[in-house]
Structure formats: C-alpha cells, structure tokens
Amino acid sequence: MKALILSDIHSNIQSLRAVWERESDSDIIYCTGDLVDCGPFPGEVIDWVRKHQVICTKGNHDERIIAHYHSRIKMEDLPDNKGNWAYHNAGCLNDEEIRFLQELPESVECRMDGFHYCMKHQFGEKYETIESIHQLRHFWSKHTAAVETHSQAKRVIFGHTHWQAVQYLKDDELWMNPGSTSYRPTRQKEDRSLDAHYITITDGQIRMKSVDYDVTPLIRASAEVHLPSYWG
C-alpha cells in the first residue's frame, strides 16, 4: 500500500499536478484540507480532488470560502482595498462545489498496513503542534472511535501550519504534517521556498518529499485578478 498525504493545496492546481506526476503510483490519497483560498484555481483543485477520490477533511480556509459564498457579496462590488482571495474563490465556485466543501468531515480515521491513523486539519486554535504524549493521546481519544490503550500504535496527521514534520512521542506514537503543496507562510520569512511539500507512506514507511514546479501560471493568474501572489 502506498498512500499520498497532502495538505493546504490552496487553489494551486500547478503544484498538485506536479506532485501527481511524480506519485501517480499511489494507491490512495489523503488531504487534511484547505483545498481552496489564497490561489487562483479553486474549481480546478476541487475537480482534481473529486476525480482522484481524495479522502479529505475540512480546513479553516474551506470554511472561510463557504461563508463568503453564502454571504452573496461579490468581489467586484467591494472597494479595491477590500477584495481578497476568499471573495475571488467564492465567486468562482458553484453550489455543487460549495456543497462538496461543506460535506467534508472534520476528522477521518483509517488503518493502513497495520497502523492506525487519525487525520484532522489542525491541532489547536492557531498554529500549535502536539508536544507531548499526553496531548497526542487526548487528541486521539477525542477524534477516534478506537478504544484507548497505551500500547496501541497511533499516527496523527494534521496540516494547517504549512511546515513539514514528523515527530515521534513514542516508538509507535507520532504525528506528521505533510507541509503545504502550495506555499510557505509569509510569517516565516527565512523559508520562502516555492517547492510543493508532501508525504508518502509506503508499507508503513513515512517519507517527507518535495517537488519543484512552474509557478509562472500562478503569478500570471494572480496579476490578472489584481490579487497578491504567494509565488513571487
């Protein structure tokens, strides 16, 4: 079994296609959420995710687009300094696509190759990470239907921070974050790399990966709608 683990795609179909070109032998795809917002291709990303039967949880930016869509406020009716990617993305999507986002679950649990996983978009209210075995086990008991045993192998997957990491709390209890396939956040200016980050899990073995891709279409599309580009 090979699983592809994605997060924080943010309407970036260019990076998604680049990852898939390299990892198209994956048996299953998981994504922690934030499919949309902050980029120019929300419909294309949702279409790709549905076509490839990606198992997703709902991210905070997905929620944001849903709220903007239902507000019925159009970006062209806003002052120039009030328009943003959320209004743009909401205006690009239709009822069916919004319904797809609305129906994404808050968390997902699964088993692969003898390991038990729980996936959710974010751990805390902001950008916290799991720092202790107590936090991991509390998270686990809250978001899975599994009977809690300290000897049980546990692997938590979350995204949101955009930073790729795997952290072991015990030999068989850990959390992982695939990082963002789209961009590094501006709050961390020391790393403005433009490669797409993701994780693969093959027969239980976790590998942190990245791939370069052409950001030119993203820059051009951002300029066309007069919105800031995260890619230069």
Side-chain angles (χ1 to χ4, degrees):
M1 169 71 78
K2 176 179 177 179
L4 173 61
I5 314 298
L6 306 171
S7 187
D8 297 272
I9 301 169
H10 286 296
S11 299
N12 184 344
I13 192 65
Q14 300 299 120
S15 63
L16 195 53
R17 289 169 176 164
V19 170
W20 188 242
E21 184 176 354
R22 178 174 290 186
E23 308 295 347
S24 60
D25 62 337
S26 300
D27 299 296
I28 194 166
I29 310 170
Y30 290 91
C31 180
T32 79
D34 276 4
L35 304 180
V36 292
D37 201 5
C38 304
F41 303 113
E44 290 86 343
V45 167
I46 291 174
D47 182 65
W48 193 97
V49 164
R50 297 175 75 175
K51 178 182 177 181
H52 291 85
Q53 299 180 312
V54 181
I55 298 170
C56 297
T57 53
K58 189 186 299 179
N60 59 304
H61 283 267
D62 302 323
E63 293 276 17
R64 186 183 185 198
I65 299 309
I66 293 166
H68 277 59
Y69 184 85
H70 289 304
S71 76
R72 303 299 180 183
I73 298 173
K74 297 181 179 180
M75 195 170 82
E76 56 264 31
D77 296 331
L78 295 167
D80 290 343
N81 64 336
K82 294 297 183 182
N84 58 43
W85 279 118
Y87 286 112
H88 170 273
N89 277 207
C92 290
L93 300 178
N94 58 37
D95 286 346
E96 184 181 5
E97 291 163 331
I98 291 296
R99 190 178 306 113
F100 173 79
L101 294 178
Q102 287 177 314
E103 292 175 354
L104 294 177
E106 296 298 323
S107 62
V108 166
E109 60 178 302
C110 66
R111 293 182 184 273
M112 294 186 291
D113 299 313
F115 295 94
H116 196 171
Y117 295 82
C118 177
M119 180 175 74
K120 190 175 184 293
H121 179 65
Q122 64 192 86
F123 168 64
E125 293 297 320
K126 295 184 179 179
Y127 297 99
E128 307 91 71
T129 58
I130 297 173
E131 297 181 353
S132 70
I133 193 66
H134 171 76
Q135 287 178 314
L136 186 142
R137 290 174 178 170
H138 177 73
F139 178 95
W140 190 267
S141 64
K142 184 177 180 180
H143 296 290
T144 74
V147 176
E148 170 65 23
T149 63
H150 287 182
S151 61
Q152 181 186 48
K154 305 174 183 68
R155 290 182 168 187
V156 171
I157 304 171
F158 63 87
H160 185 60
T161 69
H162 290 216
W163 299 108
Q164 191 179 59
V166 176
Q167 182 165 332
Y168 285 80
L169 285 308
K170 295 284 186 179
D171 287 344
D172 56 0
E173 296 180 74
L174 61 87
W175 62 261
M176 69 185 81
N177 186 326
S180 172
T181 65
S182 192
Y183 66 92
R184 311 291 83 71
T186 54
R187 65 181 179 275
Q188 296 288 349
K189 295 181 180 179
E190 69 273 13
D191 181 2
R192 296 291 290 136
S193 61
L194 298 178
D195 50 340
H197 290 185
Y198 63 98
I199 279 174
T200 60
I201 305 174
T202 306
D203 299 331
Q205 182 180 10
I206 301 166
R207 293 190 63 193
M208 296 188 287
K209 297 182 178 181
S210 65
V211 61
D212 291 323
Y213 63 98
D214 182 11
V215 299
T216 305
L218 297 162
I219 297 171
R220 183 168 57 245
S222 300
E224 288 174 355
V225 294
H226 308 291
L227 287 172
S229 168
Y230 290 90
W231 306 277

